[in-house]
Amino acid sequence: LGFGLFMTLGVGAGLKLRALAPGAERVKALWAHAATQTLALALAIGGFVAIYRNKATHDKPHFTTTHGKLGLLTICLTILSPAIGALAFKKLGALDMLPESIRPLVKAVHRRLGLVTWCCGMLATLLALPHPAVDSGALTIAWQVSVFVMCAGVAFWHFTEPKGARGDGFTRLDK
């Protein structure tokens, strides 16, 4: 639920609001994005804790498989991305403490990191599905196809959604 539903909705909302002009509508959309991503974060942390405790209960090693290592990276990024997002959200006031020259970069890093985080979460999900504990034959294949379709859809949306007059923030790196 954390990644497949709420983070997907949050990423979609984030992509959609990039084209909005500054003002009340954009701030409202940013609050909705923040709320959705905060719920995704809470669910992801809950899932991580449940998995960690289950492995500890059964005396199994942590972070030994590709899925486990990617899951650990994903949970770290899942915590880091909203922290940078909160910093980048001007309405919260933290952005004003940073030099004006790096503010667009902070916002751009949050956008890119959020997308990378979501992709890592989707890949970790795909890696877990064929595991004997969760493999359900045709249902697993359908689930894998649905995750792939979501990834393709978000990638398409990311590369075709208008960026608006604000740009993506990375142009400052060229100066």
Side-chain angles (χ1 to χ4, degrees):
L1 281 176
F3 281 90
L5 179 60
F6 291 107
M7 192 171 287
T8 302
L9 290 172
V11 166
L15 290 170
K16 190 163 181 69
L17 68 84
R18 290 190 308 187
L20 295 176
E25 184 182 3
R26 181 175 172 82
V27 171
K28 183 179 176 183
L30 283 165
W31 278 116
H33 167 71
T36 305
Q37 296 303 71
T38 300
L39 183 54
L41 172 64
L43 290 170
I45 289 172
F48 176 81
V49 169
I51 292 165
Y52 191 90
R53 289 187 63 174
N54 186 52
K55 284 195 169 278
T57 299
H58 293 94
D59 202 28
K60 292 187 177 182
H62 299 286
F63 317 118
T64 58
T65 64
T66 303
H67 166 74
K69 292 172 185 172
L70 184 59
L72 179 60
L73 172 64
T74 301
I75 200 68
C76 291
L77 294 176
T78 302
I79 293 166
L80 182 61
S81 183
I84 294 173
L87 179 65
F89 192 13
K90 187 170 178 59
K91 195 77 170 170
L92 295 178
L95 190 63
D96 293 332
M97 295 187 289
L98 298 175
E100 194 165 332
S101 62
I102 67 164
R103 292 176 191 174
L105 180 61
V106 171
K107 292 179 178 197
V109 167
H110 168 67
R111 289 183 194 118
R112 296 300 190 277
L113 187 59
L115 191 59
V116 167
T117 301
W118 182 82
C119 289
C120 286
M122 294 295 101
L123 183 56
T125 300
L126 284 174
L127 288 172
L129 290 173
H131 189 277
V134 293
D135 191 357
S136 300
L139 184 59
T140 298
I141 293 168
W143 187 259
Q144 288 172 314
V145 168
S146 72
V147 170
F148 176 76
V149 168
M150 273 196 305
C151 288
V154 168
F156 177 79
W157 196 358
H158 172 71
F159 290 110
T160 60
E161 184 71 19
K163 306 295 188 278
R166 300 160 66 89
D168 71 358
F170 277 99
T171 54
R172 296 222 181 241
L173 292 175
D174 298 334
K175 293 182 178 182

